[in-house]
Amino acid sequence: MNDATAAGPALALPSIEAVEQGLRSVGYIPSRQIATAVYLAHHLQKPMLVEGPAGVGKTELARSVAHWLRLPLIRMQCYEGLDEAKALYEWKYGKQLLYTQILKDKIGSVIGDTDGLGAALNKLHDFGDIFFSENFLEPRPLLRALQQPGGAVLLVDEVDKSDQEFEAFLLEILSDYQVTIPEIGTVAAVTPPIVLLTSNSTRDLGDALKRRCLHLHIGFPDEKLEAQIIDSRVPGIEARLLRQLVSFVQQLRGLDLKKVPSVSETIDWAKVLVLLHASVLEVDLVRDTLNVLLKFEADIEIAGKQLATLTHKAQGDLSRIVGEVEAR
Amino acid sequence: MLSVPARSPSPSTRHVSSSPSSLERSASEPLRRFLQVARGAGLRVSAAEGIDAARAVDVVGFADRAVLKDTLSLVLAKTPDEKHLFDECFELYFKRDEFASPDAVEPPLPEPMAAPDAMVSGDGVGGQGGSALGQMLLNDDRAALAAAMEQAARETGLENIRFFTQKNLYARRILDRMGLRAVEREIEALQSRGTEEAIVRAGRLEARLEMLRDALRDFVERHLVLFARGETEAFREELLKNARLSNLERRDFDRMRVLVRAMAKKLAARYAKTRRRRLRGQLDVRRTLRRNMGWGGVPFVTVWKQKRIEKPRVLVLCDVSGSVAPMAQFLLMFLYAVHEALSDIRSFAFAGSLIEVSDVLEKHDIEAAIDEIMRTIGYGSSNYGNSLADFEDGWGAFVTNKTTIIILGDARGNRTDPRTEIMARLSQRAKRIIWLNPEYRSAWGTGDSDMYRYAAYCNVVTVCSTLRHLERVVTDLLEQAA
């Protein structure tokens, strides 16, 4: 482990500004609300529920926090039917069976010198729960997060895809950061992990879970923030092109589309434009690359009708953002 | 009073102490009142969240307004609606500019209420022949006036305000508390003195007093909005949910629609997909052995029993004839919401004959859909036999052993032939038939009601005249396993 985190990550989070600077240093541009949330989540030791449309940087936030604090990122993807076995721990049944088979002779010889079934059973009981020891325990993400000595960042992705039983189970773990395995005992977290839950709002989460967490909503960024994000993620992009493409996407979000382009799509588009050596936005260029931004045919049609106007407006939108981006 | 949170401190280092005295001193009073305000505005803030809010504020402090707002938003507001409510609430509460002069410099902050020495209470008569309030008014000491108003508001219990009719009452009480009597006496005294300077002074006092009265009215109104709105809304919603649908009027339409939609969304979230409930702990021996044939039957992989809960397939028949006309509109509204929520549902409306309305409900928006249905077939004279015959002829083939049929109606057929044999055939083929009757049980079977004739072929027959009944029925319906 690194000496910076030897005493626990508390040292790396002295203030909200420090969090902002730290996240920026690894390439994630947070809004002030995001930085506040991370700061509070750590100091209050509460999990953080992050909601928002797809592609705005929820998973990326977890990754960046882990990268910045140099903690391992443990990721658990939720799906319908996810249960305790897959999430917490499971016994290595195969290994247990294999070992019993292999050690059959040894077991036989150990019991061999006892007479009577009762004595043999007692002898076996004396061995305790050999086959249920830590060697045969397969820890799954939740348990692994608790076991990390220096703390970790636990990302529970798409919690809304799991079912209610799983939520209740998760709640139990998130309250005390400890879990009881009947055969082994209680495993408590040495350093409580920083927990992020993400949700795409496909269904309403249970109240108990929501009340337990800090609730952060990440929406689409405004022009200034988006320009900073793209500048950070696509190095070497020209200022003028950046301005224009951000302006274009912001306008696109105002249309009545089935799926509005989010930040990840903007970043992809910016990369494509840089690859094509574009220096300004042109109508034809936009038309050819529109499918990077919009993923539904219907949306491409709707945008296609207004393409010329949108592009021209984006081209004309000069002085506003340039000041902020260049002054950075 | 907030108490220290019961959780023991965690192993990792925390650079903020959470000793009881620091909590009580720094965060308690303004935060507590804000929580009360938030609850009044409709945010559901539990006790645990209140404690969390106190701890969070302890960590970030009151200094930066934006940070405070973000912090409280993270801890208190847990849905997008709540976030909006919270924003409104925060802006309203932490505004201190009723006396804002154009060159006001400080941002509006809640003053820690631990500085009572600057304030005057009651009808103190200090100074040379002038009242304390009068002094403040003449000097235009806005900060002191604001503080005095707050203090008086607290003392008269302004947070108990509930109805707009109490506005003037509270305004009057607060003014009295601030020392109105003394000022009025002072004005009288000045006017009776008669000198030029005294008259001018009296005039100025009066003018300032008027300004104070206006500001006070605004202040009380803001509090009314903050404290009372949430509760009155909740109360109204309860009323609506429990009201007989036939008693509701057109103007409740919008509010009902919101309620109905919320209900449908909740139901959809739980029941829209096929669910598989795993019964952990019950080994499915047969499947386990089958799965492990490759290893000679040794159970390397375990398979557990699971119950498959299928999506219900529903056909709804809704009576829109004259006898249930007041209720029909709301039933259709409910149908509309359920259509939005469940995918495998088909709806039919009937009076003298029967038509399918699934398309109408799905394509148009709610007002247009209901109007069209009522225009086409509504308010007619009921003929249950004929309607059932239409249904069987047109859509009888869709009734399978997985289908649930729901009939909403009063079973009053105007003495036409009930055609119960059709019901018999349908009940044999369908999984269940549920009849929802808006009349009281005592009215069933009276007059031209064929309820008991039809009841023989139904699995469930209940009274259903309020939104709550509807909700319960639909929930029970969806709970059943395939």
Side-chain angles (χ1 to χ4, degrees):
Chain A
M1 266 278 127
N2 219 308
D3 353 331
T5 52
L11 293 176
L13 294 173
S15 71
I16 300 181
E17 286 74 31
V19 174
E20 262 195 75
Q21 292 304 320
L23 286 175
R24 267 173 210 269
S25 70
V26 291
Y28 185 88
I29 313 288
S31 67
R32 201 201 38 239
Q33 227 196 3
I34 297 177
T36 314
V38 173
Y39 178 75
L40 281 175
H42 174 74
H43 283 289
L44 294 178
Q45 247 145 44
K46 289 177 85 61
M48 208 157 81
L49 174 61
V50 185
E51 281 194 316
V56 291
K58 309 189 286 287
T59 312
E60 197 56 38
L61 173 63
R63 234 180 259 141
S64 307
V65 171
H67 190 191
W68 168 44
L69 295 174
R70 276 172 288 220
L71 293 173
L73 172 68
I74 297 176
R75 181 176 177 160
M76 185 167 75
Q77 184 77 26
C78 293
Y79 53 90
E80 173 122 18
L82 179 63
D83 62 347
E84 198 177 295
K86 297 268 170 37
L88 193 57
Y89 69 91
E90 206 169 14
W91 294 109
K92 295 177 184 166
Y93 304 111
K95 195 171 170 187
Q96 285 168 333
L97 280 167
L98 206 58
Y99 274 44
T100 41
Q101 298 285 12
I102 292 173
L103 299 172
K104 216 171 11 186
D105 298 334
K106 188 75 186 172
I107 296 177
S109 69
V110 163
I111 308 182
D113 51 344
T114 60
D115 28 48
L117 193 51
L121 266 175
N122 289 337
K123 199 98 192 250
L124 267 181
H125 274 310
D126 287 341
F127 284 112
D129 294 317
I130 288 192
F131 286 109
F132 288 95
S133 63
E134 294 234 359
N135 297 334
F136 293 97
L137 185 69
E138 174 76 60
R140 298 280 188 215
L142 289 181
L143 187 58
R144 263 192 296 137
L146 294 178
Q147 283 175 335
Q148 300 292 327
V153 174
L154 174 64
L155 171 64
V156 182
D157 228 356
E158 297 185 7
V159 120
D160 53 325
K161 294 225 168 56
S162 67
D163 46 30
Q164 285 182 330
E165 288 89 356
F166 183 72
E167 266 184 48
F169 164 69
L170 199 59
L171 193 60
E172 197 189 317
I173 296 200
L174 293 179
S175 324
D176 298 319
Y177 294 111
Q178 71 184 23
V179 75
T180 303
I181 300 174
E183 294 85 354
I184 294 186
T186 308
V187 179
V190 173
T191 316
I194 299 177
V195 183
L196 267 95
L197 308 165
T198 61
S199 164
N200 280 325
S201 309
T202 50
R203 74 173 175 94
D204 278 336
L205 292 174
D207 265 355
L209 190 61
K210 272 209 236 177
R211 302 289 145 198
R212 177 89 189 89
C213 304
L214 296 174
H215 186 272
L216 174 65
H217 182 264
I218 303 185
F220 294 121
D222 60 4
E223 279 205 66
K224 191 170 108 176
L225 192 61
E226 191 158 18
Q228 289 177 359
I229 295 176
I230 307 236
D231 193 51
S232 156
R233 291 280 157 159
V234 186
I237 186 170
E238 276 185 34
R240 196 158 50 139
L241 179 63
L242 173 63
R243 236 187 292 133
Q244 289 181 353
L245 74 90
V246 167
S247 170
F248 184 82
V249 175
Q250 291 279 335
Q251 289 178 68
L252 212 54
R253 290 206 184 115
L255 298 180
D256 180 24
L257 300 172
K258 192 163 160 188
K259 184 185 179 305
V260 168
S262 69
V263 185
S264 58
E265 271 119 14
T266 318
I267 294 177
D268 288 340
W269 194 42
K271 287 186 183 156
V272 164
L273 291 177
V274 166
L275 213 57
L276 293 176
H277 301 294
S279 56
V280 278
L281 224 53
E282 308 264 328
V283 181
D284 291 331
L285 179 66
V286 173
R287 201 193 309 274
D288 289 337
T289 51
L290 201 54
N291 58 349
V292 177
L293 272 181
L294 299 173
K295 309 287 170 145
F296 283 101
E297 201 52 48
D299 288 344
I300 295 182
E301 275 178 32
I302 296 177
K305 290 187 198 125
Q306 307 185 31
L307 209 54
T309 27
L310 291 176
T311 321
H312 289 138
K313 227 167 129 196
Q315 284 166 341
D317 236 335
L318 287 174
S319 47
R320 260 193 316 128
I321 335 172
V322 73
E324 281 103 74
V325 174
E326 285 176 359
R328 191 183 33 81
Chain B
M1 261 310 154
L2 290 161
S3 58
V4 178
R7 237 176 53 164
S8 52
S10 63
S12 73
T13 46
R14 295 183 58 198
H15 72 283
V16 173
S17 73
S18 55
S19 59
S21 54
S22 73
L23 260 184
E24 283 169 17
R25 251 203 319 262
S26 63
S28 177
E29 189 54 31
L31 183 62
R32 193 187 63 80
R33 293 193 72 213
F34 178 68
L35 289 181
Q36 203 176 359
V37 163
R39 284 187 184 118
L43 260 78
R44 286 162 46 218
V45 178
S46 62
E49 283 170 316
I51 294 178
D52 287 337
R55 287 172 60 216
V57 168
D58 222 24
V59 170
V60 296
F62 266 111
D64 187 331
R65 184 171 195 253
V67 167
L68 180 67
K69 183 171 176 184
D70 285 340
T71 305
L72 288 178
S73 174
L74 285 170
V75 179
L76 299 177
K78 302 288 168 81
T79 67
D81 289 336
E82 284 194 355
K83 296 248 186 234
H84 282 295
L85 266 179
F86 170 82
D87 282 344
E88 268 181 35
C89 200
F90 188 91
E91 294 301 324
L92 264 183
Y93 184 73
F94 286 111
K95 186 168 80 141
R96 281 285 177 276
D97 57 351
E98 48 257 357
F99 293 114
S101 45
D103 39 303
V105 190
E106 312 91 324
L109 282 176
E111 297 99 30
M113 293 301 172
D117 14 306
M119 288 186 274
V120 197
S121 68
D123 18 47
V125 190
Q128 280 77 347
S131 63
L133 179 58
Q135 286 292 332
M136 284 197 284
L137 282 174
L138 279 175
N139 299 337
D140 208 16
D141 189 350
R142 287 162 189 235
L145 279 171
M149 205 154 79
E150 283 281 324
Q151 168 105 355
R154 265 210 325 284
E155 287 171 4
T156 56
L158 182 57
E159 58 246 27
N160 296 324
I161 190 170
R162 284 294 166 262
F163 304 110
F164 67 92
T165 44
Q166 296 170 315
K167 262 197 311 196
N168 289 328
L169 174 68
Y170 275 98
R172 180 71 202 204
R173 271 197 210 153
I174 294 176
L175 204 48
D176 279 341
R177 198 74 194 191
M178 283 172 80
L180 179 65
R181 294 260 164 274
V183 174
E184 283 177 340
R185 266 180 282 151
E186 183 180 351
I187 295 181
E188 270 181 37
L190 282 172
Q191 281 172 339
S192 68
R193 212 184 293 171
T195 63
E196 168 100 26
E197 179 236 331
I199 302 270
V200 163
R201 202 175 150 101
R204 210 185 303 155
L205 260 184
E206 272 183 352
R208 294 270 163 81
L209 198 57
E210 268 317 301
M211 260 173 49
L212 177 61
R213 278 211 179 92
D214 285 338
L216 197 52
R217 256 192 289 270
D218 270 339
F219 178 74
V220 171
E221 172 131 10
R222 252 194 317 127
H223 272 74
L224 176 66
V225 168
L226 283 176
F227 284 105
R229 185 173 59 182
E231 261 196 42
T232 43
E233 277 304 313
F235 183 60
R236 225 180 265 142
E237 265 187 33
E238 268 305 304
L239 273 185
L240 272 183
K241 278 197 195 148
N242 287 320
R244 276 185 73 85
L245 293 177
S246 46
N247 288 338
L248 293 173
E249 292 160 11
R250 192 90 194 176
R251 67 185 151 97
D252 293 320
F253 216 66
D254 288 326
R255 218 170 276 130
M256 274 300 262
R257 207 193 329 161
V258 169
L259 281 182
V260 165
R261 192 181 262 144
M263 195 171 83
K265 197 164 157 220
K266 195 170 49 158
L267 294 172
R270 283 201 73 188
Y271 302 112
K273 300 184 285 209
T274 308
R275 292 188 302 151
R276 238 181 224 124
R277 197 155 63 200
R278 299 192 75 201
L279 299 168
R280 267 219 114 205
Q282 290 188 27
L283 189 69
D284 191 337
V285 182
R286 216 187 60 203
R287 286 218 177 90
T288 308
L289 286 177
R290 279 256 204 88
R291 188 83 94 75
N292 290 292
M293 274 318 172
W295 294 289
V298 180
F300 272 95
V301 178
T302 49
V303 179
W304 304 90
K305 282 209 176 159
Q306 56 192 23
K307 227 172 164 190
R308 254 187 116 205
I309 303 174
E310 278 193 8
K311 236 176 359 170
R313 280 150 227 255
V314 182
L315 298 173
V316 183
L317 279 71
C318 188
D319 185 354
V320 294
S321 64
S323 47
V324 286
M327 206 177 138
Q329 305 231 1
F330 293 100
L331 288 178
L332 286 176
M333 192 180 359
F334 179 72
L335 223 55
Y336 184 87
V338 175
H339 255 271
E340 273 189 305
L342 296 177
S343 50
D344 212 343
I345 175 172
R346 297 180 73 160
S347 312
F348 305 85
F350 66 91
S353 55
L354 181 133
I355 57 169
E356 179 170 9
V357 294
S358 320
D359 289 344
V360 179
L361 286 176
E362 271 169 32
K363 295 223 178 72
H364 303 248
D365 75 349
I366 184 169
E367 300 255 348
I370 293 183
D371 280 336
E372 174 156 347
I373 296 173
M374 294 310 276
R375 224 176 336 119
T376 318
I377 198 165
Y379 305 117
S381 154
S382 323
N383 188 334
Y384 272 74
N386 203 13
S387 308
L388 283 174
D390 282 346
F391 177 68
E392 196 186 22
D393 290 338
W395 297 275
F398 287 110
V399 178
T400 68
N401 67 342
K402 290 201 174 61
T403 316
T404 304
I405 300 181
I406 303 181
I407 306 183
L408 300 157
D410 59 357
R412 289 190 179 276
N414 292 318
R415 303 197 190 278
T416 57
D417 179 3
R419 307 285 302 269
T420 49
E421 72 275 10
I422 304 184
M423 278 291 279
R425 286 198 290 269
L426 287 174
S427 76
Q428 274 175 352
R429 293 172 56 190
K431 196 165 115 230
R432 274 184 306 167
I433 301 191
I434 301 178
W435 194 296
L436 305 174
N437 193 325
E439 292 183 338
Y440 292 117
R441 230 170 247 269
S442 43
W444 294 2
T446 63
D448 58 340
S449 165
D450 294 316
M451 189 69 249
Y452 289 118
R453 283 210 196 95
Y454 290 126
Y457 301 104
C458 302
N459 296 74
V460 177
V461 183
T462 55
V463 177
C464 184
S465 58
T466 70
L467 196 59
R468 275 224 195 284
H469 288 159
L470 275 178
E471 188 179 359
R472 206 182 310 144
V473 161
V474 177
T475 313
D476 289 343
L477 162 74
L478 296 171
E479 288 273 327
Q480 305 288 324

